[in-house]
């Protein structure tokens, strides 16, 4: 039997679950101005995944890269959630 699909699915689940609090903390501490870091990490990981010979590892690295890129959108949505009062605003950070 081949378990690669299940392994990728479980890894994707945990990767997405990990990026959710990362986005919340990043927006709290730095606001949306940290989006270029997510972009650089995402593009770099997608590029790395092109050169990894192990298909399972390449897929997981690609998922992490795409999750980093998707986090850019989530940063801006998180700013709106903070503005609506759904999440706490950092009183030490001015925007």
């Amino acid at each position: 039997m081949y378990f690669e699909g299940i392994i990728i699915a479980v890894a994707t689940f945990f990767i997405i679950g990990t990026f959710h609090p990362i986005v919340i903390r990043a927006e709290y501490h730095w606001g949306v101005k940290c989006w270029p870091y997510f972009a650089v990490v995402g593009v770099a990981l997608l590029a790395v995944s092109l050169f990894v010979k192990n298909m399972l590892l390449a897929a997981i690295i690609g998922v992490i890269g795409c999750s980093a890129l998707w986090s850019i959108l989530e940063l801006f949505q998180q700013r709106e959630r903070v503005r609506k009062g759904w999440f706490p605003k950092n009183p030490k950070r001015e925007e």
Side-chain angles (χ1 to χ4, degrees):
M1 288 195 287
Y2 299 100
F3 291 101
E4 286 86 0
I6 293 173
I7 293 169
I8 292 170
V10 171
T12 301
F13 177 77
F14 284 110
I15 291 165
I16 293 170
T18 301
F19 268 90
H20 180 69
I22 290 172
V23 167
I24 292 171
R25 292 185 65 89
E27 196 285 328
Y28 182 82
H29 290 288
W30 302 293
V32 296
K33 61 186 170 191
C34 66
W35 76 264
Y37 297 108
F38 284 97
V40 168
V41 168
V43 170
L45 287 175
L46 287 176
V48 167
S49 74
L50 294 172
F51 297 99
V52 175
K53 289 185 179 184
N54 182 313
M55 184 60 82
L56 179 63
L57 186 57
I60 292 173
I61 292 170
V63 168
I64 297 170
C66 285
S67 295
L69 292 175
W70 185 263
S71 295
I72 297 168
L73 173 66
E74 287 297 321
L75 272 173
F76 287 93
Q77 291 178 347
Q78 180 66 17
R79 177 176 64 181
E80 290 304 309
R81 291 188 284 264
V82 169
R83 187 185 60 75
K84 291 178 181 178
W86 298 351
F87 284 85
K89 181 179 179 177
N90 185 349
K92 297 178 182 176
R93 183 175 49 83
E94 293 182 25
E95 285 203 41

